[in-house]
Amino acid sequence: MDLGSIVEDFALNVAAQTEAIMRGDRKGGNKYAKRYIAAYKKLRDQGEAGRDALAGLLVHPRMDVRVNAAACLLSDRPEQAKSVLEEAAKGKGMVPFLASRVLKYWDEGTWKLDVD
């Protein structure tokens, strides 16, 4: 699987998770979360090339995809990721709330992805 396909898989599954959550489908949401986390791990394992590929999603048309990509990149690319999270956190709803929580934990020095 090439990096572009992995990035697409990440984005599609983030979007699917959001839609499942909005329908109240927790089981489906969890299924999609596992899939985008697996895609993230594949990208992370590719080093800088994987991070570059994931960073392309920081300008994705869907806010949920941008925010999840930024959350995954925050430790490695804080300047890029933080600006995406700050912009998203200005809004209202589930995704802006997620962005604000990630920023809160980052500012506290407690941000850590538990996906190992």
Side-chain angles (χ1 to χ4, degrees), residues 6-7 9-15 17 29-45 54 68-69 71-72 113-116:
I6 300 169
V7 167
D9 193 43
F10 179 95
L12 290 173
N13 282 290
V14 167
Q17 181 199 32
N30 289 340
K31 174 180 77 172
Y32 296 118
K34 288 176 185 173
R35 289 179 182 174
Y36 83 73
I37 290 167
Y40 164 67
K41 287 178 180 180
K42 288 177 188 176
L43 292 167
R44 182 188 63 193
D45 291 347
L54 185 59
N68 277 281
C72 290
L113 283 179
D114 294 325
V115 294
D116 290 323

Side-chain angles (χ1 to χ4, degrees), residues 32-77:
Y32 296 118
K34 288 176 185 173
R35 289 179 182 174
Y36 83 73
I37 290 167
Y40 164 67
K41 287 178 180 180
K42 288 177 188 176
L43 292 167
R44 182 188 63 193
D45 291 347
Q46 297 302 310
E48 198 63 28
R51 286 187 289 278
D52 286 343
L54 185 59
L57 293 178
L58 296 176
V59 295
H60 193 276
R62 287 187 63 121
M63 184 191 309
D64 55 347
V65 173
R66 292 191 306 270
V67 165
N68 277 281
C72 290
L73 289 167
L74 188 56
S75 295
D76 295 313
R77 298 193 177 174

Side-chain angles (χ1 to χ4, degrees), residues 9-26:
D9 193 43
F10 179 95
L12 290 173
N13 282 290
V14 167
Q17 181 199 32
T18 300
E19 291 165 12
I21 291 169
M22 300 307 271
R23 291 191 306 271
D25 179 7
R26 189 180 79 165

